[in-house]
């Protein structure tokens, strides 16, 4: 039976058109390598280098060969919407494109498709890269992203990460040859891609879209962070100043003019002002600019520069107008203050947000509260709190703060309060021994006697021999603590009253006898 390529093309027209639209987006005519892929694919079509071997209609799998320097096999699985090639190139190669164009010529004009694709070329990336200016670099980003952002077509949120990585792959092919310029170029391009793409975020109320945008921000932040660590501490050429000026401007716009993800945008902002922008004239310039903004949506930005300049009086004044719903920003600013060796600023911020902790912690999903509490506690444990501040802090934590509060009470040697806390929020004797009980028995054995009694009674309530055995184990520990405290008379009276109180529980009486608690 003769293989009808025209019939296959008509049958799979939807897949062919959709895949070519993807190629239009991902291969850019301004990129020399992409232009070469399309040129050589067209050459293969015109020279009839694509040979169609077999089509298994049951599985919708088409097998072809492209006659090249080394013949390659291209297979299209129409059911799974996948296309594979035996050549070593990842992504789109001339072989895959040539097979698709060979099919496309049976349903539409290949020449027209090529002309439309090439018409989107407005500038040459290499020409822009050769004239090294911040505006040219930004034009390069605009040119590469133009395929995705042109017109009023809404881009699905799940594509943003793919778009960014695809664009950066093309942009990084134009990276300067000089080693000292390379991290600056990569940092500029990363920030510029975030700057441009974040303009187009839509439907920020939808959890579906928000999740994808957050993933986009997180991946780009991780990549930027790696580059920043390369740049941090390195000497800079005077000629690079305009590029840092442009990055400062873009970063400022990301903070002040974009919507949503304020904590993630703030993290990006703090990263740059912590490790990239360190010149005092730049700090003062940014501060003056922000002070001139009368209706900024993020007044907390001023705090960044009060921390850097150690202007504590201005910081205290700013904290009088704290916005409780932005607590996450203040936590980030505390960490920024400590990274800048400004402990005074960190303490001002921590004391300012203390009254609002409880309401914000309660908004956190229960599964994540222990982590949030532990993170917040790690900041407060660095400072000296008054008794009222301690009470406010640990009451804000609630049951999720039992462990840090326990550690604090142990450090302060407030053993009676530690015992009371363990009775208020019960766990198990094994857990307590791991987290401080042995220390309390060693330092103040008398205060733990009520705690042992409490946990033994909890076991008795379960009314099973297994729990009675556990109660006896606890009483043995209690007996040891009583002996250590010199309270054996109390112990003898206590265990006798227990035996009398539960004389009807024969299994318990048997376990008490086995435990030798009366000797």
């Amino acid at each position: 039976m003769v293989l009808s390529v025209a019939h296959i093309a008509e049958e799979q027209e939807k897949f062919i058109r959709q895949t070519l639209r993807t190629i239009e987006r991902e291969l850019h005519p301004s990129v020399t390598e992409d232009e070469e892929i399309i040129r050589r694919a067209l050459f293969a079509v015109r020279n009839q280098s694509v040979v169609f071997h077999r089509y298994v209609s049951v599985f919708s799998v088409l097998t072809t060969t492209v006659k090249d320097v080394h013949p390659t096999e291209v297979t299209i699985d129409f059911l799974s919407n996948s296309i594979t090639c035996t050549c070593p190139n990842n992504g789109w190669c001339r072989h895959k494109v040539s097979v698709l164009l060979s099919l496309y010529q049976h349903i539409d004009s290949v020449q027209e498709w090529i002309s439309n694709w090439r018409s989107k070329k407005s500038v040459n990336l290499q020409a822009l890269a050769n004239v090294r200016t911040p505006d040219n670099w930004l034009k390069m980003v605009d040119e590469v992203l133009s395929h995705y952002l042109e017109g009023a077509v809404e881009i699905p949120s799940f594509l943003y990460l793919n778009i960014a990585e695809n664009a950066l792959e093309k942009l990084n092919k134009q990276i300067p040859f000089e080693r000292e310029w390379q991290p600056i170029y990569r940092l500029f391009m990363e920030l510029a891609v975030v700057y441009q793409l974040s303009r187009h975020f839509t439907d920020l109320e939808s959890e579906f879209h928000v999740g994808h945008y957050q993933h986009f921000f997180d991946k780009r932040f991780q990549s930027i962070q790696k580059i920043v660590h390369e740049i941090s501490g390195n000497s800079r050429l005077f000629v690079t100043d305009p590029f840092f000026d442009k990055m400062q401007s873009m970063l400022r716009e990301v903070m002040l003019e974009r919507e949503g993800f304020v904590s993630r945008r703030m993290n990006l902002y703090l990263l740059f002002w912590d490790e990239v922008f360190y010149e005092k004239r730049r700090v003062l310039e940014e501060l003056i600019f922000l002070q001139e903004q009368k209706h900024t949506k993020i007044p907390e930005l001023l705090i960044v520069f009060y921390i850097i300049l150690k202007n504590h009086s201005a910081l205290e004044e700013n904290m009088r107008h704290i916005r409780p719903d932005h607590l996450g920003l203040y936590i980030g600013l505390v960490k920024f203050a400590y990274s800048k060796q400004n402990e005074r600023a960190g303490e001002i911020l921590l004391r300012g947000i203390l009254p609002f902790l409880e309401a914000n912690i309660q908004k956190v999903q229960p599964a994540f509260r222990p982590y949030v509490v532990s993170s917040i506690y790690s900041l407060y444990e660095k400072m000296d709190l008054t008794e009222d501040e301690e009470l406010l802090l640990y009451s804000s934590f609630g049951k999720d703060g039992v462990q840090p509060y326990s550690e604090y009470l142990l450090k302060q040697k407030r053993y009676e309060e530690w015992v009371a806390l363990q009775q208020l929020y019960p766990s198990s004797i094994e857990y307590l021994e791991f987290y401080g009980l042995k220390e309390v028995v060693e330092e103040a054995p008398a205060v733990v006697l009520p705690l042992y009694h409490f946990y033994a009674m909890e076991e008795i309530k379960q009314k099973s021999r297994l729990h009675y055995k556990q109660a006896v184990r606890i009483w043995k520990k209690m007996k040891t603590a009583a002996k250590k405290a010199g309270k054996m008379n109390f112990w003898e009276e206590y265990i006798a009253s227990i035996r009398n109180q539960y004389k009807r529980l024969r299994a318990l009486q048997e376990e008490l006898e086995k435990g030798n608690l009366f000797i």
Side-chain angles (χ1 to χ4, degrees):
M1 183 177 178
V2 178
L3 180 65
S4 175
V5 179
H7 177 71
I8 296 171
E10 290 174 8
E11 184 181 292
Q12 304 296 342
E13 179 177 356
K14 183 179 178 181
F15 170 84
I16 295 166
R17 290 188 183 277
Q18 285 181 341
T19 307
L20 284 174
R21 278 196 290 271
T22 300
I23 291 173
E24 285 181 47
R25 288 197 306 269
E26 296 186 4
L27 298 184
H28 199 289
S30 297
V31 178
T32 304
E33 292 84 352
D34 293 354
E35 168 67 29
E36 180 69 5
I37 288 173
I38 298 298
R39 188 186 66 78
R40 296 187 67 172
L42 181 59
F43 179 82
V45 174
R46 286 174 174 170
N47 283 272
Q48 299 182 351
S49 298
V50 178
V51 179
F52 294 89
H53 291 303
R54 185 176 59 173
Y55 179 64
V56 182
S57 58
V58 176
F59 301 107
S60 295
V61 174
L62 176 65
T63 305
T64 67
T65 296
V66 180
K67 292 184 284 186
D68 204 344
V69 178
H70 299 287
T72 60
E73 289 186 9
V74 176
T75 304
I76 302 179
D77 185 337
F78 293 106
L79 284 181
S80 64
N81 295 330
S82 65
I83 179 168
T84 58
C85 179
T86 56
C87 79
N89 296 327
N90 295 320
W92 294 113
C93 63
R94 60 183 181 269
H95 311 112
K96 292 179 184 177
V97 178
S98 64
V99 171
L100 287 164
L101 291 178
S102 294
L103 289 168
Y104 185 72
Q105 68 183 345
H106 292 282
I107 54 177
D108 214 329
S109 169
V110 169
Q111 188 58 51
E112 186 177 339
W113 185 90
I114 295 288
S115 298
N116 289 338
W117 181 79
R118 284 176 173 161
S119 69
K120 296 175 181 179
K121 178 177 180 177
S122 57
V123 293
N124 184 280
L125 291 186
Q126 187 62 55
L128 286 173
N130 289 339
V131 182
R132 201 172 293 170
T133 67
D135 287 341
N136 274 5
W137 282 9
L138 198 54
K139 285 178 184 176
M140 291 167 64
V141 175
D142 291 341
E143 174 67 14
V144 171
L145 291 176
S146 63
H147 268 4
Y148 306 98
L149 306 178
E150 64 182 351
V153 179
E154 184 176 315
I155 303 168
S157 57
F158 62 85
L159 283 180
Y160 273 83
L161 181 59
N162 179 267
I163 291 171
E165 292 181 346
N166 190 277
L168 287 164
E169 180 184 354
K170 299 183 186 311
L171 290 165
N172 286 333
K173 290 177 181 177
Q174 313 300 328
I175 195 166
F177 176 76
E178 302 92 332
R179 183 177 296 177
E180 61 270 22
W181 275 93
Q182 290 176 0
I184 297 171
Y185 178 87
R186 288 188 287 114
L187 183 62
F188 187 100
M189 293 303 168
E190 283 277 2
L191 181 58
V193 166
V194 172
Y195 167 77
Q196 295 291 35
L197 288 181
S198 60
R199 286 178 169 177
H200 300 271
F201 289 170
T202 57
D203 197 4
L204 298 181
E205 301 300 319
S206 164
E207 288 187 15
F208 174 80
H209 293 297
V210 165
H212 288 299
Y213 294 142
Q214 287 176 339
H215 186 51
F216 162 80
F217 259 119
D218 293 343
K219 292 292 286 186
R220 299 279 53 86
F221 180 83
Q222 291 170 12
S223 183
I224 288 172
Q225 196 173 37
K226 289 179 182 177
I227 303 170
V228 164
H229 292 334
E230 288 182 44
I231 291 177
S232 182
N234 293 343
S235 58
R236 296 178 190 168
L237 302 171
F238 176 75
V239 72
T240 64
D241 281 354
F243 296 87
F244 286 96
D245 291 342
K246 188 65 178 179
M247 283 191 277
Q248 181 180 345
S249 174
M250 286 192 290
L251 186 64
R252 181 192 297 159
E253 191 171 326
V254 167
M255 281 307 302
L256 298 179
E257 298 186 21
R258 302 295 187 265
E259 296 293 333
F261 318 107
V262 64
S263 292
R264 283 173 167 78
R265 286 185 285 135
M266 178 64 94
N267 286 341
L268 186 62
Y269 193 79
L270 293 177
L271 176 64
F272 273 80
W273 284 103
D274 190 19
E275 299 192 48
V276 179
F277 303 144
Y278 51 76
E279 306 95 326
K280 188 167 184 179
R281 65 95 184 162
R282 197 182 293 279
V283 171
L284 293 172
E285 175 187 301
E286 189 79 359
L287 177 59
I288 291 169
F289 176 87
L290 293 173
Q291 288 173 331
E292 291 173 349
Q293 308 304 303
K294 301 299 182 185
H295 304 291
T296 177
K297 296 178 182 178
I298 312 178
E300 294 84 2
L301 287 182
L302 289 166
I303 295 175
V304 175
F305 304 97
Y306 297 151
I307 291 171
I308 295 172
L309 297 171
K310 298 190 175 180
N311 189 340
H312 298 142
S313 59
L315 175 56
E316 288 174 335
E317 177 62 30
N318 187 288
M319 291 300 289
R320 292 177 185 175
H321 310 287
I322 188 171
R323 297 193 296 172
D325 56 325
H326 280 204
L327 197 74
L329 295 185
Y330 293 100
I331 295 294
L333 288 166
V334 171
K335 294 176 182 177
F336 179 73
Y338 284 125
S339 76
K340 287 295 185 184
Q341 308 297 314
N342 191 343
E343 294 184 5
R344 172 69 178 138
E347 290 184 4
I348 292 171
L349 288 162
L350 287 171
R351 285 196 162 90
I353 66 176
L354 187 53
F356 309 102
L357 280 179
E358 183 174 6
N360 279 272
I361 289 172
Q362 293 306 311
K363 292 178 184 177
V364 178
Q365 293 181 11
F368 298 108
R369 278 183 203 159
Y371 171 77
V372 171
V373 165
S374 176
S375 177
I376 293 174
Y377 174 70
S378 68
L379 299 173
Y380 278 94
E381 69 176 344
K382 298 176 182 178
M383 58 187 288
D384 294 325
L385 298 171
T386 66
E387 191 171 330
D388 289 340
E389 288 171 338
E390 289 171 11
L391 183 61
L392 184 57
L393 176 65
Y394 293 112
S395 64
S396 299
F397 291 163
K399 67 178 182 179
D400 297 299
V402 171
Q403 185 176 331
Y405 192 24
S406 296
E407 292 173 3
Y408 172 78
L409 292 174
L410 289 175
K411 287 179 184 177
Q412 299 295 317
K413 299 188 182 300
R414 290 157 57 174
Y415 300 123
E416 289 185 8
E417 293 173 66
W418 185 88
V419 168
L421 181 66
Q422 309 314 321
Q423 291 179 249
L424 183 61
Y425 297 105
S427 53
S428 69
I429 286 294
E430 290 76 14
Y431 176 86
L432 294 181
E433 286 181 337
F434 192 74
Y435 284 106
L437 179 56
K438 291 180 180 179
E439 177 186 335
V440 181
V441 170
E442 197 63 35
E443 297 294 328
V447 304
V448 300
L449 301 180
L451 186 63
Y452 281 126
H453 168 72
F454 172 82
Y455 279 96
M457 291 301 101
E458 290 297 304
E459 296 294 338
I460 296 298
K461 289 177 184 177
Q462 304 305 314
K463 294 185 178 180
S464 76
R465 185 175 289 273
L466 183 65
H467 288 93
Y468 295 156
K469 288 182 178 181
Q470 181 62 17
V472 169
R473 293 190 191 101
I474 294 171
W475 278 323
K476 283 183 176 181
K477 297 176 187 292
M478 184 177 176
K479 180 180 178 181
T480 301
K483 185 176 182 181
K484 193 174 186 65
K487 291 184 173 290
M488 288 306 290
N489 289 336
F490 160 79
W491 166 255
E492 291 174 3
E493 292 176 6
Y494 169 80
I495 200 64
S497 69
I498 289 293
R499 184 173 191 177
N500 185 58
Q501 182 179 353
Y502 295 104
K503 60 186 177 182
R504 294 181 181 275
L505 298 178
R506 193 170 73 176
L508 175 60
Q509 295 294 329
E510 290 174 0
E511 294 302 325
L512 287 170
E513 289 292 341
K514 291 178 185 177
N516 295 322
L517 296 174
F518 304 100
I519 299 174

